[in-house]
């Protein structure tokens, strides 16, 4: 049940715009759902109206890696963003840096958000430009990204998220197992206020 | 004895601590270890209709209970219509998918015993407006919501941040989150804001300085004279937009302004003196170290507007859009995209640019003082012909207060629309939206492409600047009307 990630090999879709916000990834119109299925339709919905959009290129039809610009996933905390990317077929996003909430949401769902340094990012962009079919391999266990020429480059992912993805650890289950410590904390910290106590509003 | 904020461990620290350090330490259920995040206790969980249904479904799928319904509050705000009479007239949502979300929230809250302020409840409003005004938001707390503008509540000296729906599930089930300790950033603002410059202009200037990702990985504490001089609503405006600089949370040290605001609010602590004593210990100690620090001078800040497609693309209202020559070549594709989308030329001014819509509202600027500021400009004036103006109070309480002061009459007489409470055109989920190509001056927090409606273009500004622009029919400097 908990998401897993081991390794994948894929070409990369280059979306080299900085500060791509989650409103672009999945516009608000698509958030009117009570489940999490079927969001691929809304992924980059406005940008995909453009027939020239990179996502329409045949060569990227089965791509599982998005090569994104700086600060990918900024803005709204909507977890629909990684859900939509996964539903569309992406399994990993590479960027020089991610917005915090997006990175956390992505890793929780098994979408591997990997921050890479700028020279490597530039190198990957050059590789895609030269050959859109060029495949890289991302291996989480060895934390290695292998370039088409066989060169291996190490990357870092938050160690806890890495362990959870490799071992399929359910994070909610992990928290639930701390019930005793939580109860102990609560006994030492009773609340000032109970939200259920109806109060008369002052006029 | 009530001990929520009185963990003895916190008093024993030898080293000077920041406000963030103190709140963080007081909420550790388990300490972080190498490779393992901390378990952080959450005092208050705010819920709304859009990011909660998946979390409740997961709770039920696993056969779990909501651990602390008395630490949760839900409201309806994101997709609710704001047409006059909504709620009271029984009118719900125009879009059946939005109605499904509201029905689901009602069922979920009822099933799990969570208080819900529905459309017909006098406490209903934008989640980040009602938390503070009801006194639910209190200093020293940890507060989360499936909404990135949860940072608003940091104005009270609470550690408040947005989370995704998976984490909403975690908090419902365990009242805890697995958290990595963020870094700290002090934004120190010296001097005083000048006439016509508001909290909104200050935070737009701060984001412009930090950049849209300058706060990533950090919790900001706003300090200095200009921050101390802000009222609580101004502090909320500043903290609200911390996320627009990438910081999940922004904090202001609680002080007499904070305590005076909270005293007597419906959910303020009964044990008021005890709470006060505990809150007074939260301030950052002299000599405490932040990981980073920047300094600004408030007296140099002018009314600010944005010109591009993120809140970091800002300038003084009288300024000019950066030209290609001043832009880092690596950012050029991003800048070109923004210029094109906004239909602006690098190097040009926006002052005097004709506009179509003015929107006053959102969790950034929909509180009473925001409406008063706008009304001050609108008084005895008219919305320019060809401009549509919407005024959407942040909560039903704000609406009642504004109506008691006659502010609605000022707006209506000027030709603006006076609506019911909700998020409305800030994210355009409820039917209030820009038409493609329209240009709006908006008191909201995000000028992203299509944020206020597909193809719509947004200039972020203060309520003063928005109102002045409505009257002028073009982007205007409010100082000329004050």
């Amino acid at each position: 049940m908990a998401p897993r990630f081991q390794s994948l090999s894929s070409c990369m879709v280059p979306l080299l715009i900085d500060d791509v916000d989650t409103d672009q990834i999945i516009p608000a119109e698509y958030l009117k759902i009570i489940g999490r299925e079927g969001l691929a339709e809304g992924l980059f919905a406005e940008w995909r109206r453009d027939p020239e959009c990179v996502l329409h290129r045949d060569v990227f039809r089965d791509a599982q890696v998005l090569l994104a610009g700086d600060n990918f996933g900024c803005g709204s905390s909507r977890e629909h963003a990684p859900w939509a990317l996964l539903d569309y077929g992406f399994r990993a996003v590479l960027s020089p840096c991610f917005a915090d909430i997006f990175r956390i949401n992505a890793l929780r769902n098994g979408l591997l958000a990997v921050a890479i340094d700028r020279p490597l990012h530039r190198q990957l962009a050059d590789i895609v430009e030269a050959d859109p079919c060029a495949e890289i391999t991302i291996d989480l266990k060895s934390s290695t990204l292998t370039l088409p020429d066989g060169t291996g480059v190490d990357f870092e992912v938050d160690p806890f998220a890495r362990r959870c993805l490799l071992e399929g650890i359910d994070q909610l289950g992990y928290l639930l197992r701390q019930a005793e410590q939580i109860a102990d904390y609560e006994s030492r910290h009773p609340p000032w206020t109970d939200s259920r106590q109806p109060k008369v509003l002052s006029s | 004895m009530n001990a929520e904020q009185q963990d003895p461990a916190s008093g024993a620290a030898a080293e000077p601590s920041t406000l963030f350090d103190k709140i963080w330490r007081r909420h550790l259920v388990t300490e972080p270890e190498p490779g393992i995040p901390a378990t952080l206790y959450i005092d208050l969980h705010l819920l709304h209709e859009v990011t909660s249904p998946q979390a409740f479904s997961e709770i039920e799928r696993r056969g779990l209970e909501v651990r602390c319904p008395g630490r949760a509050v839900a409201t309806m705000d994101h997709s609710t219509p704001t047409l006059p009479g909504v709620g009271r007239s029984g009118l719900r949502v125009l879009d059946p998918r939005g109605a499904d979300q509201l029905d689901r929230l009602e069922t979920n809250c009822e099933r799990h015993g969570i208080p819900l302020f529905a459309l017909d409840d006098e406490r209903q409003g934008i989640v980040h407006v009602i938390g503070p005004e009801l006194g639910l938001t209190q200093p020293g707390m940890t507060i989360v919501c499936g909404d990135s503008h949860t940072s608003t509540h940091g104005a009270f000296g609470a550690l408040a941040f947005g989370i995704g729906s998976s984490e909403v599930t975690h908090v419902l089930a365990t009242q805890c989150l697995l958290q990595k300790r963020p870094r700290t950033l002090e934004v120190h603002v010296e001097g005083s804001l000048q006439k016509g410059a508001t909290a909104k202009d200050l935070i737009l200037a701060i984001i412009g300085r930090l950049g849209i990702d300058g706060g990533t990985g950090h919790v900001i504490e706003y300090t200095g004279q200009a921050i101390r001089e802000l009222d609580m609503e101004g502090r909320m405006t500043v903290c609200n937009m911390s996320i627009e600089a990438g910081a999940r949370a922004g904090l202001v040290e609680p002080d007499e302004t904070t305590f005076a605001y909270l005293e007597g609010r419906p959910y303020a602590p009964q044990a008021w003196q005890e709470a006060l004593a505990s809150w007074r210990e939260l301030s950052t100690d002299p000599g405490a170290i932040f990981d980073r620090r920047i300094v600004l001078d408030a007296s140099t800040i002018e009314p600010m507007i944005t010109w591009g497609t993120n809140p970091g693309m800002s300038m003084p209202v009288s300024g000019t859009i950066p030209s290609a020559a001043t832009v880092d070549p690596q950012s050029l594709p991003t800048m070109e995209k923004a210029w094109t989308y906004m239909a602006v030329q690098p190097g040009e001014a926006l002052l005097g640019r004709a506009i179509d819509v003015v929107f006053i509202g959102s969790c950034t600027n929909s509180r009473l003082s925001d409406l008063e500021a706008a009304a001050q400009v609108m008084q005895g004036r008219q919305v320019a012909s060809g401009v549509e103006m919407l005024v959407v109070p942040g909560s039903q309480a704000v609406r009642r207060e504004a109506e008691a002061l006659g502010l609605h009459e000022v707006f209506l007489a000027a030709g603006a629309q006076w609506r019911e409470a909700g998020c409305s055109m800030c994210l355009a989920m409820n039917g209030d939206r820009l038409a493609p190509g329209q240009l709006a001056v908006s008191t909201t927090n995000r000028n992203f492409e299509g944020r206020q409606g597909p193809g719509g273009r947004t200039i972020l500004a203060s309520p003063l600047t928005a109102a002045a622009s409505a009257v002028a029919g073009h982007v205007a400097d409010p100082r000329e009307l004050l």
Side-chain angles (χ1 to χ4, degrees):
Chain A
M1 195 53 229
R4 283 176 176 267
F5 190 104
Q6 301 292 333
S7 75
L8 65 77
S9 295
S10 165
C11 62
M12 298 169 281
V13 180
L15 191 70
L16 300 172
I17 301 289
D18 294 338
D19 309 316
V20 170
D21 58 82
T22 51
D23 274 85
Q24 305 316 310
I25 300 173
I26 184 82
E29 189 56 31
Y30 295 89
L31 308 189
K32 292 179 187 172
I33 53 169
I34 49 180
R36 58 176 75 176
E37 295 79 30
L39 283 164
E41 184 196 338
L43 181 73
F44 294 117
E46 287 305 311
W47 294 358
R48 277 162 67 197
R49 288 183 202 283
D50 176 3
E52 300 295 306
C53 175
V54 68
L55 288 160
H56 295 318
R57 292 182 60 184
D58 248 9
V59 62
F60 298 133
R61 189 182 300 158
D62 299 317
Q64 298 180 72
V65 178
L66 185 69
L67 181 63
D70 262 20
N71 194 31
F72 186 78
C74 62
S76 159
S77 59
R78 58 190 72 170
E79 197 160 321
H80 308 66
W83 293 338
L85 286 158
L86 284 163
D87 194 39
Y88 190 85
F90 288 111
R91 297 290 319 282
V93 186
L94 307 175
S95 160
C97 66
F98 290 91
D100 289 326
I101 303 177
F102 175 83
R103 182 177 43 77
I104 291 165
N105 285 341
L107 292 171
R108 289 248 193 279
N109 286 277
L111 178 70
L112 196 67
V114 182
I116 54 176
D117 64 29
R118 276 166 216 290
L120 176 60
H121 187 260
R122 177 68 55 84
Q123 190 181 358
L124 292 174
D126 290 344
I127 288 170
V128 180
E129 197 176 344
D131 176 10
C133 299
E135 288 203 349
I136 57 163
T137 297
I138 300 173
D139 184 70
L140 186 57
K141 185 149 196 209
S142 62
S143 295
T144 311
L145 193 155
T146 308
L147 304 182
D149 67 2
T151 315
V153 187
D154 294 342
F155 64 81
E156 266 187 58
V157 172
D158 169 68
F160 186 71
R162 177 177 172 276
R163 203 181 116 204
C164 289
L165 287 174
L166 284 174
E167 298 174 21
I169 295 172
D170 167 37
Q171 297 199 15
L172 176 52
Y174 181 91
L175 270 174
L176 286 165
R177 285 194 290 281
Q178 297 184 16
E180 206 172 303
Q181 288 102 313
I182 297 169
D184 176 57
Y185 177 91
E186 284 172 334
S187 70
R188 288 183 287 115
H189 300 78
W192 295 119
T193 300
D194 186 330
S195 64
R196 291 166 302 185
Q197 286 174 8
K199 300 285 166 69
V200 179
L201 298 189
S202 46
S203 53
Chain B
M1 182 182 118
N2 191 315
E4 173 156 49
Q5 277 89 1
Q6 298 186 354
D7 193 327
S10 64
E15 291 200 1
S17 302
T18 64
L19 168 58
F20 164 77
D21 294 328
K22 294 182 188 185
I23 303 174
W24 173 263
R25 218 161 39 222
R26 287 177 187 198
H27 288 84
L28 287 178
V29 173
T30 62
E31 298 270 349
E33 290 169 40
I36 299 177
T39 299
L40 194 71
Y41 197 79
I42 302 303
D43 292 321
L44 178 64
H45 188 190
L46 303 167
L47 297 147
H48 62 81
E49 73 274 23
V50 177
T51 55
S52 66
Q54 296 85 356
F56 281 109
S57 298
E58 185 65 10
I59 291 286
E60 275 156 33
R61 197 187 63 77
R62 294 187 185 225
L64 297 169
E65 303 275 306
V66 171
R67 185 178 178 92
C68 303
R71 288 187 178 275
V73 164
T75 187
M76 298 175 169
D77 55 4
H78 277 62
S79 56
T80 56
T82 57
L83 296 171
V86 161
R88 285 167 295 173
S89 70
L91 173 61
R92 293 281 295 239
V93 175
L94 309 172
D95 178 340
R97 293 174 306 151
D100 282 351
Q101 286 189 326
L102 297 187
D103 292 345
R104 187 57 74 101
L105 184 65
E106 224 156 34
T107 315
N108 285 331
C109 288
E110 200 175 349
R111 189 174 297 162
H112 295 285
I114 293 173
L116 166 66
F117 305 147
L119 282 186
D120 56 357
D121 191 304
E122 62 177 352
R123 294 165 292 188
Q124 178 267 341
I126 303 175
V127 65
H128 309 308
V129 174
I130 66 167
E133 76 185 5
L134 291 170
L136 286 161
T137 299
Q138 295 164 17
M141 277 184 159
T142 46
I143 302 177
V144 297
C145 175
D147 190 287
S148 61
H149 291 112
T150 308
S151 57
T152 310
H153 307 264
F156 292 79
L159 177 62
F161 52 93
I163 56 177
S165 299
S166 294
E167 293 193 324
V168 171
T169 317
H170 294 185
V171 179
L172 287 174
T174 69
Q175 207 57 38
C176 289
L177 283 175
L178 294 166
Q179 285 291 299
K180 204 173 141 184
R181 193 183 194 285
R183 292 185 289 276
T184 54
L185 165 60
E186 181 184 11
V187 173
H188 185 79
V189 192
E190 295 173 340
S192 298
L193 287 167
Q194 302 298 296
K195 191 175 174 185
T198 66
K200 180 63 164 290
D201 304 297
L202 171 56
I203 187 62
L204 283 172
I206 291 170
I207 297 162
R209 168 82 175 276
L210 280 172
I212 183 177
D213 59 354
T216 302
H218 293 78
V219 165
I220 297 175
E221 183 177 342
Y222 300 97
T223 63
Q225 184 183 336
I227 302 295
R228 298 260 70 81
E229 288 175 357
L230 291 175
D231 63 15
M232 288 314 295
E233 299 193 348
R235 293 180 190 180
M236 285 187 245
T237 299
V238 168
C239 288
N240 171 274
M241 290 189 71
S242 302
I243 184 67
E244 312 311 336
R248 284 178 86 187
L251 292 164
V252 174
E253 162 189 302
D255 61 9
E256 296 310 316
T257 304
T258 321
F259 309 144
Y261 176 97
L262 279 173
E263 191 167 11
R265 301 246 165 208
Y267 291 91
Q270 296 287 314
W272 179 252
Q273 290 304 328
E274 213 179 309
L276 264 187
S278 143
W279 294 345
R280 287 188 205 282
E281 291 171 6
L282 288 166
S283 305
T284 291
D285 299 325
I289 309 277
F290 291 88
D291 294 308
R292 272 173 71 201
R293 184 174 198 258
I294 66 163
V295 180
L296 282 84
D297 178 0
S299 67
T300 63
I301 293 171
E302 293 181 51
M304 297 286 290
I305 55 171
T306 59
W307 57 264
T309 53
N310 73 50
M313 295 173 168
S314 65
M315 63 186 190
V317 66
S318 58
T320 55
I321 297 168
S323 60
T326 62
V327 168
D328 169 14
Q330 210 174 319
S331 324
L332 204 55
T334 305
M335 299 294 260
E336 281 170 346
K337 199 167 187 309
W339 293 326
T340 305
Y341 185 84
M342 292 299 292
V344 297
Q345 300 296 323
E348 75 174 342
L350 285 182
L351 200 60
R353 172 68 54 102
I355 57 169
D356 305 297
V357 173
V358 168
F359 177 75
I360 299 207
S362 87
C363 57
T364 312
N365 283 124
S366 64
R367 298 179 181 84
L368 190 64
S369 59
D370 300 314
L371 304 186
E372 284 175 319
Q376 180 196 348
V377 172
M378 304 301 291
Q379 179 78 51
R381 298 189 172 105
Q382 289 292 311
V383 176
S385 102
V387 174
E388 187 187 2
M389 181 176 186
L390 257 74
V391 185
V392 181
S395 67
Q396 295 199 29
V398 171
R399 182 179 51 73
R400 288 192 298 272
E401 289 165 20
E403 289 180 355
L405 293 172
L407 302 185
H408 64 309
E409 283 161 7
V410 174
F411 295 123
L412 289 167
Q417 298 179 45
W418 175 247
R419 295 292 192 90
E420 300 286 337
C423 300
S424 180
M425 204 188 272
C426 177
L427 83 168
M429 273 191 85
N430 73 333
D432 300 336
R433 54 161 65 177
L434 298 177
Q438 281 191 322
L439 181 62
V441 176
S442 178
T443 66
T444 56
N445 38 58
R446 289 185 174 140
N447 50 340
F448 297 151
E449 285 184 24
R451 168 83 177 182
Q452 297 197 277
R457 302 191 302 248
T458 301
I459 293 173
L460 301 178
S462 72
L464 287 177
T465 303
S469 302
V471 169
H474 53 73
V475 177
D477 188 332
R479 291 171 293 190
E480 291 159 16
L481 296 183
L482 294 178

